[in-house]
Amino acid sequence: MKIYLTDQAKKLSQHLAYLKQQPVMLYDTTKLTEKTTIIKIDTPKKLQELDSNFLFDYKIFPNNIMTFLTQWTTEQRQMQIGDTIVQQAYIPPFRQFSQKIIFGVRINNIINEPTKIGFSYETLKGHVEKGISIFTIENTDNLKTIFKVHTFSTPGNLLTKLVGPIFSVPYQTFCTKQGLLNVKRQLENS
């Protein structure tokens, strides 16, 4: 985790090069907090008919919360297991008037099933959280379409352990909700 007062958007490729060398933070899922958040997608389309390219381009969170650069974009290809994403989070969620926090994640699974598509990533050394996040678009048993964020996490460093209950948890909840709404808009307008 690196904290800046200036926008690092033009330097994300340098941060990505550094983060590609960082290991995944070790974790035991039995010791992490599990959370699942779901939003219903109002669409008559079947899963295979939806334009889900934005999901695999990692366009989940609104850009007032986070900007990012993916390894697969820089290498002009599709997402692969082992790819790194550099994330620049804005705290508070205002690009101009915020601290910019840089950290990274690594893709550890790509999901392509008849009723579920998506991916998951693990946090890299230095991330504010330790754990795994799974992002999926799914058709449920009752033929509804949902977007789901399923996480297993715990604070990743001393700072987030100390401020977690006061700040990190509410901010993460806010960001997840905004991500759900952003994906819903994109899917319903596709």
Side-chain angles (χ1 to χ4, degrees):
M1 173 178 71
K2 295 182 180 180
I3 301 173
Y4 297 90
L5 294 176
T6 58
D7 192 340
Q8 296 295 297
K10 293 180 181 176
K11 297 179 181 178
L12 288 181
S13 59
Q14 294 167 323
H15 291 293
L16 180 62
Y18 170 77
L19 288 166
K20 284 167 51 176
Q21 307 305 314
Q22 298 305 303
V24 168
M25 295 174 79
L26 298 177
Y27 61 89
D28 175 354
T29 53
T30 64
K31 296 180 180 175
L32 301 178
T33 302
E34 181 177 8
K35 186 172 184 180
T36 301
T37 322
I38 297 170
I39 194 164
K40 182 180 177 290
I41 308 302
D42 296 315
T43 180
K45 295 179 181 178
K46 295 179 183 174
L47 183 63
Q48 296 77 13
E49 298 171 331
L50 292 170
D51 181 1
S52 59
N53 289 332
F54 74 91
L55 179 69
F56 293 99
D57 289 338
Y58 192 57
K59 294 180 181 172
I60 296 171
F61 300 98
N63 62 10
N64 67 310
I65 291 175
M66 177 188 298
T67 55
F68 62 91
L69 181 63
T70 67
Q71 182 176 347
W72 61 93
T73 299
T74 63
E75 296 176 6
Q76 299 179 335
R77 58 172 173 76
Q78 293 184 335
M79 178 192 290
Q80 296 176 1
I81 293 173
D83 280 344
T84 299
I85 304 171
V86 59
Q87 303 168 318
Q88 176 177 232
Y90 301 108
I91 300 177
F94 306 104
R95 288 183 78 158
Q96 307 304 331
F97 307 105
S98 64
Q99 291 186 351
K100 287 71 173 167
I101 302 177
I102 301 288
F103 39 80
V105 295
R106 184 156 300 129
I107 303 297
N108 73 327
N109 192 20
I110 298 172
I111 303 153
N112 189 4
E113 300 172 8
T115 60
K116 182 184 341 184
I117 58 170
F119 64 92
S120 62
Y121 59 55
E122 300 169 297
T123 56
L124 299 180
K125 180 182 174 188
H127 199 287
V128 295
E129 294 181 319
K130 177 177 14 179
I132 183 170
S133 295
I134 307 157
F135 303 91
T136 54
I137 301 169
E138 303 179 19
N139 283 136
T140 63
D141 292 337
N142 57 1
L143 303 177
K144 295 197 189 303
T145 301
I146 61 167
F147 176 63
K148 181 192 305 185
V149 179
H150 189 180
T151 60
F152 298 85
S153 66
T154 193
N157 58 48
L158 181 59
L159 178 62
T160 52
K161 284 179 186 175
L162 294 174
V163 300
I166 304 165
F167 179 76
S168 296
V169 172
Y171 190 72
Q172 181 185 28
T173 301
F174 168 77
C175 292
T176 299
K177 181 178 179 183
Q178 294 305 305
L180 291 167
L181 292 169
N182 193 42
V183 168
K184 179 179 176 71
R185 277 190 296 273
Q186 292 179 80
L187 285 172
E188 291 179 354
N189 293 326
S190 70

